[in-house]
Amino acid sequence: MTWFNREITELEGRALHPETLMMGFGYFPGLSEGAVKCPIFQTSTFVFRSAQEGKGFFELAYGLRQPAPAETPGLIYSRLNNPNLEILEGRLAVWDQAERALAFSSGMAAISTCLFACCRPGDVVVHSTPVYGGSDYLLERILPQFGIHTVGFQAGRGNGPLREAIDRAGGLGRIAALYVETPANPTNGLVDLEACARAADGLLAKQGSRPLVVVDNTFLGPLWQKPLKHGCDVAVYSLTKYVGGHSDVVAGACVGSHKALEPVHLMRTILGTMTDPHTAWLLMRSLETLELRFTRSVDNARRVAEFLRDHPAVESVQYLGFLDPASEEGQLYARQCIAPGATFSFCVRGGEAEAFRVLDALQLVKLAVSLGGTESLASHPAAMTHSDIEAERRAEIGITENMIRISIGIEHPDDLIADFRQALATLASP
Ligand SMILES: *Cc1c(COP(=O)(O)O)cnc(C)c1O
């Protein structure tokens, strides 16, 4: 019974796949009464065997000395570490083939802790637009209160806007981070991750420090886009979405190298933005089916996108799978993305009234913001998630009044198509 107290990560000389590792990686039944599943360690604090052991644990936790060979950090207190948190983090790192992952109480906790860890007053963050509403508020309204400047560039317009933004930012201060969300929500505009990594390398020579390249990988990750493989430093996630996958938890993560994440880890310990044992346990359960769920969602989304594209009441569909492979954007997609994901937008013929009529007529697809759950959701970006952006800037970014965003779940695709068909039929009648 080698699995009882030993980790199985390869067989016949071949590394096990992430799908397989999700069932047991990092968990030893022998340490928990033989329980097949990892129990919930619902405890705030941990007993030391001796005062000397407690001293040693703190020395490592506070970085007062380097660990001895094979010495691992001991359990101290659940804001610092907890078995559920540690096992979850080990499994999250597997998908991105990263050295390390950190789990947070929300996607916004992950993003804000990461940016506060790498920015100091006078620094600049160069970021893509549009970004998630909460990230936009952090960048535009919160960071400036701490003397941190931000300069935005538009996603989906090639590498020119990135270069211009870096030039502009260089005049304001040290560029501490390049923060990008790709594909952008809800327009699906792409940012070239390798170009961002190259720009960061260039800044090392120019300003003497390399900015951290941080990618919000919530929409396609961790299955269909791997930012670390393209030279980026940190992938951030709202685990609330596809990873959690059942619309029943709020959580986040940062994934990357030990070096990139150590300051973020320290900041998390002090801000207390880690996730709790019960949420970590739910996320481990979700990770076991991540590949099954996300693959089915992607297949369903393709079916729905094709149906919408051919419907006379639909003006356009912003779906990555429809990019012209010969176009610049299509080539970037092929280099950077493995599948088009399952969240996209479409525009009906008409304006807000027509979009609302379709949303109100949907019966199976629920009218709610968020995405990545087993159930399909629809929302109106201009009136909901992106309503705090001035109308002019919204139009510039391409968020129009006739746009509907959908997150496709794992229902039977025929039922989803039937629902869209009957909802769109309301547009034909006066
Ligand atoms: C939802 C979301 C976030 C924020 O995550 P929370 O878990 O709600 O804090 C960040 N980025 C993207 C792309 C999101 O969709």
Side-chain angles (χ1 to χ4, degrees):
M1 290 206 291
T2 49
W3 44 265
F4 213 72
N5 277 317
R6 191 168 72 82
E7 195 135 78
I8 308 294
T9 56
E10 58 162 65
L11 279 176
E12 298 181 331
R14 188 178 49 74
L16 296 178
H17 295 85
E19 295 88 325
T20 309
L21 290 172
M22 289 310 111
M23 281 27 134
F25 183 64
Y27 171 66
F28 306 101
L31 294 177
S32 294
E33 306 282 6
V36 165
K37 284 302 178 199
C38 178
I40 306 177
F41 289 84
Q42 193 71 50
T43 182
S44 59
T45 193
F46 296 87
V47 176
F48 306 134
R49 285 187 190 83
S50 67
Q52 187 60 38
E53 184 186 68
K55 180 182 176 185
F57 288 179
F58 268 94
E59 284 169 349
L60 283 195
Y62 287 177
L64 302 177
R65 65 173 170 84
Q66 289 301 308
E71 184 181 11
T72 52
L75 294 163
I76 298 174
Y77 180 72
S78 288
R79 176 159 47 75
L80 281 63
N81 50 16
N82 174 288
N84 294 111
L85 190 62
E86 291 186 343
I87 297 167
L88 168 67
E89 290 173 346
R91 293 185 192 177
L92 286 171
V94 163
W95 292 96
D96 281 291
Q97 290 182 305
E99 286 175 8
R100 186 170 190 187
L102 297 169
F104 291 85
S105 53
S106 68
M108 283 314 303
I111 294 164
S112 51
T113 304
C114 180
L115 289 179
F116 274 116
C118 68
C119 297
R120 295 294 172 269
D123 284 349
V124 197
V125 178
V126 172
H127 67 90
S128 63
T129 59
V131 288
Y132 178 74
S135 311
D136 190 77
Y137 196 94
L138 174 71
L139 290 162
E140 300 302 326
R141 314 265 189 98
I142 307 273
L143 292 182
Q145 294 177 42
F146 293 84
I148 298 159
H149 313 281
T150 58
V151 176
F153 68 92
Q154 210 168 324
R157 304 274 165 101
N159 292 334
L162 168 69
R163 277 193 298 270
E164 282 164 35
I166 286 175
D167 285 345
R168 219 158 5 109
L172 295 172
R174 180 187 78 123
I175 301 174
L178 301 180
Y179 180 86
V180 301
E181 190 177 313
T182 182
N185 163 37
T187 56
N188 258 341
L190 297 177
V191 178
D192 186 337
L193 295 178
E194 281 172 15
C196 291
R198 277 197 306 275
D201 293 340
L203 283 163
L204 170 61
K206 210 159 141 196
Q207 64 178 24
S209 63
R210 189 180 182 281
L212 205 65
V213 183
V214 182
V215 182
D216 185 332
N217 203 32
T218 299
F219 273 69
L220 293 185
L223 266 81
W224 318 122
Q225 180 169 267
K226 314 259 182 194
L228 304 184
K229 285 201 174 152
H230 298 283
C232 302
D233 301 294
V234 179
V236 294
Y237 290 96
S238 170
L239 302 179
T240 312
K241 313 298 166 56
Y242 288 101
V243 175
H246 297 73
S247 304
D248 57 6
V249 292
V250 173
C254 289
V255 181
S257 66
H258 286 298
K259 182 167 170 270
L261 291 189
E262 194 39 45
V264 184
H265 181 224
L266 181 67
M267 189 62 81
R268 184 187 72 172
T269 297
I270 301 307
L271 295 183
T273 45
M274 74 294 153
T275 197
D276 65 283
H278 181 248
T279 302
W281 182 87
L282 280 168
L283 289 165
M284 285 197 269
R285 185 180 171 129
S286 289
L287 280 171
E288 296 185 10
T289 55
L290 172 62
E291 197 270 344
L292 287 177
R293 286 185 283 105
F294 212 167
T295 301
R296 173 63 175 262
S297 292
V298 166
D299 290 346
N300 281 355
R302 182 173 289 116
R303 292 273 312 271
V304 171
E306 283 165 0
F307 167 77
L308 292 172
R309 181 179 57 182
D310 299 337
H311 196 286
V314 173
E315 186 181 275
S316 61
V317 182
Q318 286 73 43
Y319 176 65
L320 290 174
F322 294 160
L323 288 174
D324 173 5
S327 68
E328 212 177 298
E329 186 99 335
Q331 288 174 13
L332 174 58
Y333 169 75
R335 280 201 306 280
Q336 192 161 288
C337 310
I338 300 159
T343 299
F344 62 95
S345 302
F346 66 99
C347 297
V348 294
R349 293 194 193 284
E352 187 191 77
E354 285 72 19
F356 277 18
R357 207 183 310 160
V358 172
L359 285 167
D360 290 340
L362 287 167
Q363 296 187 33
L364 184 64
V365 179
K366 292 178 184 70
L367 179 53
V369 297
S370 195
L371 57 115
T374 46
E375 70 290 299
S376 296
L377 301 177
S379 62
H380 189 268
M384 297 170 189
T385 47
H386 295 70
S387 56
D388 63 332
I389 302 176
E390 308 105 70
E392 200 179 311
R393 201 174 137 224
R394 226 169 31 221
E396 205 179 283
I397 303 171
I399 303 171
T400 50
E401 299 293 332
N402 60 347
M403 178 184 267
I404 291 172
R405 185 185 82 180
I406 49 179
S407 162
I408 298 298
I410 64 170
E411 301 92 338
H412 196 290
D414 293 347
D415 296 338
L416 291 173
I417 288 169
D419 198 18
F420 283 106
R421 187 186 299 118
Q422 65 81 23
L424 284 164
T426 62
L427 292 186
S429 51

Coordinates of all heavy atoms in Angstrom, one line a residue, residues 105-111 131-135 179 181 183 185 216-219 236-241 249-252 370-371 405, ligand 1:
S105 N -9.2 34.5 -0.6 CA -10.6 34.5 -0.2 C -11.5 34.9 -1.4 O -12.7 34.7 -1.3 CB -10.9 35.4 1.0 OG -10.3 36.7 0.8
S106 N -11.0 35.5 -2.4 CA -11.7 35.9 -3.6 C -10.7 36.2 -4.7 O -9.5 36.4 -4.5 CB -12.6 37.1 -3.4 OG -11.8 38.3 -3.2
G107 N -11.2 36.3 -5.9 CA -10.4 36.7 -7.0 C -9.8 38.1 -6.8 O -8.6 38.4 -7.0
M108 N -10.7 39.0 -6.3 CA -10.2 40.4 -6.0 C -9.2 40.4 -4.9 O -8.2 41.2 -4.9 CB -11.4 41.3 -5.6 CG -12.2 41.8 -6.8 SD -11.3 42.4 -8.2 CE -10.3 43.7 -7.5
A109 N -9.3 39.5 -3.9 CA -8.2 39.4 -2.8 C -6.9 39.0 -3.5 O -5.9 39.5 -3.1 CB -8.7 38.4 -1.8
A110 N -6.9 38.1 -4.4 CA -5.7 37.6 -5.1 C -5.1 38.8 -5.9 O -3.9 39.0 -5.8 CB -6.0 36.4 -6.0
I111 N -5.9 39.5 -6.6 CA -5.4 40.6 -7.5 C -4.9 41.7 -6.7 O -3.8 42.2 -6.9 CB -6.6 41.0 -8.5 CG1 -6.9 39.9 -9.4 CG2 -6.1 42.3 -9.2 CD1 -8.3 40.1 -10.2
V131 N -10.9 45.7 -18.2 CA -10.6 44.6 -17.2 C -11.9 44.4 -16.4 O -12.8 45.3 -16.4 CB -9.4 44.9 -16.3 CG1 -8.1 44.8 -17.1 CG2 -9.5 46.2 -15.6
Y132 N -12.0 43.4 -15.6 CA -13.1 43.1 -14.7 C -13.4 44.4 -13.9 O -12.4 45.1 -13.5 CB -12.6 41.9 -13.8 CG -13.7 41.6 -12.8 CD1 -14.8 40.9 -13.1 CD2 -13.5 41.9 -11.4 CE1 -15.8 40.6 -12.2 CE2 -14.4 41.6 -10.5 CZ -15.6 40.9 -10.9 OH -16.5 40.6 -9.9
G133 N -14.6 44.6 -13.6 CA -15.1 45.8 -12.9 C -14.3 46.1 -11.6 O -13.9 47.2 -11.4
G134 N -14.2 45.1 -10.8 CA -13.5 45.2 -9.5 C -12.0 45.6 -9.7 O -11.4 46.4 -9.0
S135 N -11.4 45.0 -10.7 CA -10.0 45.2 -11.0 C -9.8 46.7 -11.6 O -8.9 47.4 -11.2 CB -9.4 44.3 -12.1 OG -9.8 43.0 -11.8
Y179 N -0.2 44.5 -16.0 CA -1.4 43.7 -15.6 C -2.3 43.6 -16.8 O -2.8 44.6 -17.3 CB -2.1 44.5 -14.4 CG -3.3 43.7 -13.9 CD1 -3.2 42.7 -13.0 CD2 -4.5 43.9 -14.5 CE1 -4.2 41.9 -12.6 CE2 -5.6 43.2 -14.1 CZ -5.5 42.2 -13.1 OH -6.5 41.4 -12.7
E181 N -5.6 41.4 -18.7 CA -6.7 40.4 -18.7 C -7.0 40.0 -20.2 O -7.3 40.8 -21.0 CB -8.0 41.1 -18.1 CG -9.1 40.1 -17.9 CD -10.3 40.8 -17.2 OE1 -10.1 41.5 -16.2 OE2 -11.4 40.6 -17.6
P183 N -8.6 36.6 -22.6 CA -9.4 37.5 -23.4 C -10.1 38.5 -22.5 O -10.5 38.2 -21.4 CB -10.4 36.6 -24.2 CG -10.5 35.4 -23.4 CD -9.1 35.2 -22.7
N185 N -13.1 41.0 -21.1 CA -14.5 40.7 -20.9 C -15.2 42.1 -21.1 O -14.8 43.0 -20.5 CB -14.6 40.2 -19.5 CG -16.0 40.4 -18.9 OD1 -17.0 40.2 -19.7 ND2 -16.1 40.7 -17.7
D216 N -4.7 38.0 -15.6 CA -5.9 37.5 -15.1 C -6.3 36.4 -16.1 O -6.8 36.6 -17.2 CB -7.0 38.6 -15.0 CG -8.3 38.1 -14.4 OD1 -8.6 36.9 -14.5 OD2 -8.9 38.9 -13.7
N217 N -6.2 35.1 -15.6 CA -6.5 34.0 -16.5 C -7.8 33.3 -16.2 O -8.0 32.1 -16.5 CB -5.3 33.0 -16.3 CG -5.1 32.0 -17.5 OD1 -5.3 32.4 -18.6 ND2 -4.7 30.8 -17.2
T218 N -8.7 34.1 -15.6 CA -10.0 33.5 -15.2 C -10.8 32.9 -16.3 O -11.5 31.9 -16.2 CB -10.8 34.6 -14.5 OG1 -10.1 35.0 -13.4 CG2 -12.2 34.1 -14.0
F219 N -10.8 33.6 -17.5 CA -11.7 33.2 -18.6 C -11.3 31.9 -19.3 O -12.2 31.1 -19.6 CB -11.8 34.3 -19.6 CG -12.9 35.3 -19.3 CD1 -12.7 36.1 -18.2 CD2 -14.1 35.3 -20.0 CE1 -13.7 37.0 -17.8 CE2 -15.1 36.2 -19.6 CZ -14.9 37.1 -18.5
V236 N -3.3 35.1 -12.3 CA -4.3 35.3 -11.2 C -5.6 34.7 -11.6 O -6.0 34.7 -12.8 CB -4.4 36.7 -10.7 CG1 -3.2 37.2 -10.1 CG2 -4.9 37.6 -11.9
Y237 N -6.4 34.2 -10.7 CA -7.7 33.6 -11.0 C -8.8 34.0 -10.0 O -8.5 34.1 -8.8 CB -7.6 32.0 -10.8 CG -6.7 31.3 -11.8 CD1 -5.4 31.1 -11.6 CD2 -7.3 31.0 -13.0 CE1 -4.6 30.4 -12.5 CE2 -6.5 30.3 -14.0 CZ -5.2 30.1 -13.7 OH -4.4 29.4 -14.7
S238 N -9.9 34.2 -10.6 CA -11.1 34.1 -9.7 C -11.5 32.7 -9.7 O -12.1 32.2 -10.7 CB -12.2 35.0 -10.3 OG -13.4 34.7 -9.5
L239 N -11.3 31.9 -8.7 CA -11.7 30.5 -8.6 C -13.2 30.4 -8.5 O -13.8 29.3 -8.6 CB -11.0 29.8 -7.4 CG -9.5 29.9 -7.4 CD1 -8.9 29.2 -6.1 CD2 -8.9 29.2 -8.6
T240 N -13.8 31.5 -8.2 CA -15.3 31.6 -8.1 C -15.9 31.1 -9.4 O -17.0 30.6 -9.5 CB -15.7 33.1 -7.9 OG1 -15.0 33.6 -6.9 CG2 -17.2 33.2 -7.6
K241 N -15.2 31.2 -10.5 CA -15.7 31.0 -11.9 C -15.5 29.5 -12.3 O -16.0 28.6 -11.6 CB -15.1 31.9 -12.9 CG -15.1 33.4 -12.4 CD -16.5 34.0 -12.2 CE -16.5 35.2 -11.3 NZ -15.7 36.3 -11.9
V249 N -19.1 29.1 -4.4 CA -18.0 29.5 -3.6 C -17.4 30.8 -4.2 O -17.5 31.1 -5.4 CB -16.8 28.5 -3.5 CG1 -17.2 27.3 -2.7 CG2 -16.2 28.2 -4.8
V250 N -16.8 31.6 -3.4 CA -16.0 32.8 -3.8 C -14.6 32.6 -3.4 O -14.3 32.3 -2.2 CB -16.6 34.1 -3.2 CG1 -15.7 35.3 -3.5 CG2 -18.0 34.4 -3.7
A251 N -13.6 32.6 -4.3 CA -12.2 32.3 -4.0 C -11.3 32.8 -5.1 O -11.8 33.0 -6.2 CB -12.0 30.9 -3.7
G252 N -10.0 32.9 -4.8 CA -9.1 33.3 -5.9 C -7.8 32.6 -5.7 O -7.5 31.9 -4.7
S370 N -21.7 36.9 -13.3 CA -20.8 35.8 -13.1 C -20.8 34.8 -14.2 O -21.5 35.0 -15.2 CB -21.1 35.1 -11.7 OG -20.0 34.3 -11.4
L371 N -20.0 33.8 -14.1 CA -19.7 32.9 -15.2 C -19.0 31.7 -14.7 O -18.6 31.6 -13.5 CB -18.9 33.6 -16.3 CG -17.5 34.1 -15.8 CD1 -16.4 33.4 -16.4 CD2 -17.3 35.6 -16.1
R405 N -24.1 39.1 -22.8 CA -23.0 38.2 -22.5 C -23.6 36.9 -21.9 O -24.5 36.9 -21.1 CB -22.0 38.8 -21.4 CG -20.8 37.9 -21.2 CD -19.9 38.3 -20.2 NE -20.4 37.9 -18.9 CZ -19.8 38.2 -17.7 NH1 -18.7 38.9 -17.7 NH2 -20.3 37.8 -16.6
Ligands
LIG1 C1 -15.1 37.4 -11.2 C2 -13.8 37.9 -11.8 C3 -12.8 38.5 -10.9 C4 -13.1 38.8 -9.5 O1 -13.2 37.6 -8.8 P1 -14.0 37.5 -7.4 O2 -13.8 36.0 -7.0 O3 -15.4 37.9 -7.6 O4 -13.4 38.4 -6.4 C5 -11.6 38.9 -11.5 N1 -11.4 38.8 -12.8 C6 -12.3 38.2 -13.6 C7 -11.9 38.1 -15.1 C8 -13.5 37.8 -13.2 O5 -14.4 37.3 -14.0

